[in-house]
Amino acid sequence: DTAVSQTPKYLVTQMGNDKSIKCEQNLGHDTMYWYKQDSKKFLKIMFSYNNKELIINETVPNRFSPKSPDKAHLNLHINSLELGDSAVYFCASSQDHNEQYFGPGTRLTVT
Amino acid sequence: GNSVTQMEGPVTLSEEAFLTINCTYTATGYPSLFWYVQYPGEGLQLLLKATKADDKGSNKGFEATYRKETTSFHLEKGSVQVSDSAVYFCALTASGAGSYQLTFGKGTKLSVIP
């Protein structure tokens, strides 16, 4: 019974391609997030969705677009991938201000 | 803005040694404070939390006390095990625009040797 799941776990692609990462949570939480972890393990918030509405949009390139078809899903679409997009992307969810539950991560490698 | 500063790693300890990982924060209002742990190849797991001043969070032998006067939330464990080897992140949430985004420290890698 995975609480927060992400697919794929690994994604290797070439520069210029478009790719998507999917996230699903079965916890009934209202808020979902995307974080980026760089090669030095630094974690930074990218997006947050509350009840299907974007409420945080940190200064990420507009090549990144989150899509939330319902409150249990928050997908991340990336256009025109660049080398610097290589990182581990984590999805998370929470209910109000309680702790956030993280997915296992998607390791994206752009060649 | 909000920020979290934690001690730089890596930290290498022998089994059964005492562990302290320092964490200080800057935030407006009254943040909630967290320690997350990331084992190799895995996602983040909540280790413990504290939501108001003087609260002590504890789990699996780890403890941290929310100190408002020193804006600190140091992580401690009396006797570490090899299985505690991981990266530890101090984090806070503070309300804003209806969301509670986590602001993380840079992480401290702990290696425990037998």
Side-chain angles (χ1 to χ4, degrees):
Chain A
D1 290 349
T2 304
V4 182
S5 59
Q6 295 178 226
T7 54
K9 189 170 174 64
Y10 300 97
L11 182 54
V12 180
T13 188
Q14 292 184 329
M15 287 174 56
N17 286 347
D18 302 339
K19 290 294 178 185
S20 292
I21 305 172
K22 295 185 176 181
C23 178
E24 177 180 1
Q25 55 97 2
N26 62 7
L27 298 167
H29 289 165
D30 286 334
T31 308
M32 296 183 72
Y33 311 80
W34 277 108
Y35 290 85
K36 179 180 179 181
Q37 185 175 46
D38 64 22
S39 58
K40 295 184 178 179
K41 299 288 190 184
F42 186 59
L43 279 151
K44 189 167 170 146
I45 182 77
M46 299 177 70
F47 299 102
S48 172
Y49 259 77
N50 180 272
N51 283 324
K52 299 196 294 178
E53 292 187 19
L54 179 66
I55 53 176
I56 296 176
N57 185 351
E58 296 297 306
T59 53
V60 298
N62 58 15
R63 298 181 294 103
F64 289 79
S65 53
K67 298 252 185 326
S68 183
D70 55 62
K71 77 172 192 176
H73 296 83
L74 181 64
N75 303 323
L76 183 64
H77 189 74
I78 315 169
N79 289 327
S80 303
L81 278 154
E82 299 178 357
L83 291 177
D85 298 332
S86 296
V88 182
Y89 293 84
F90 287 100
C91 177
S93 72
S94 72
Q95 183 64 32
D96 299 326
H97 61 283
N98 292 315
E99 61 266 25
Q100 295 182 18
Y101 291 81
F102 284 76
T106 296
R107 181 175 294 277
L108 171 65
T109 304
V110 182
T111 61
Chain B
N2 300 327
S3 67
V4 175
T5 303
Q6 62 181 103
M7 62 187 285
E8 301 258 341
V11 174
T12 302
L13 294 175
S14 297
E15 210 165 17
E16 300 184 3
F18 185 86
L19 169 71
T20 299
I21 301 178
N22 290 338
C23 171
T24 57
Y25 66 90
T26 303
T28 53
Y30 301 95
S32 294
L33 302 175
F34 304 85
W35 277 100
Y36 280 84
V37 58
Q38 185 177 26
Y39 296 103
E42 297 184 11
L44 279 78
Q45 301 174 28
L46 177 69
L47 182 59
L48 52 84
K49 69 174 183 179
T51 57
K52 61 183 188 298
D54 299 326
D55 269 3
K56 178 187 280 188
S58 61
N59 186 26
K60 299 182 181 179
F62 291 89
E63 293 183 339
T65 301
Y66 189 144
R67 301 282 187 205
K68 193 168 185 294
E69 63 276 13
T70 54
T71 62
S72 65
F73 193 54
H74 305 321
L75 182 69
E76 295 182 337
K77 186 174 185 183
S79 176
V80 294
Q81 305 300 313
V82 172
S83 57
D84 294 326
S85 298
V87 181
Y88 292 82
F89 294 91
C90 186
L92 65 82
T93 58
S95 62
S99 174
Y100 295 86
Q101 60 171 325
L102 275 166
T103 299
F104 285 94
K106 292 189 176 181
T108 302
K109 183 176 181 180
L110 170 67
S111 297
V112 180
I113 54 178

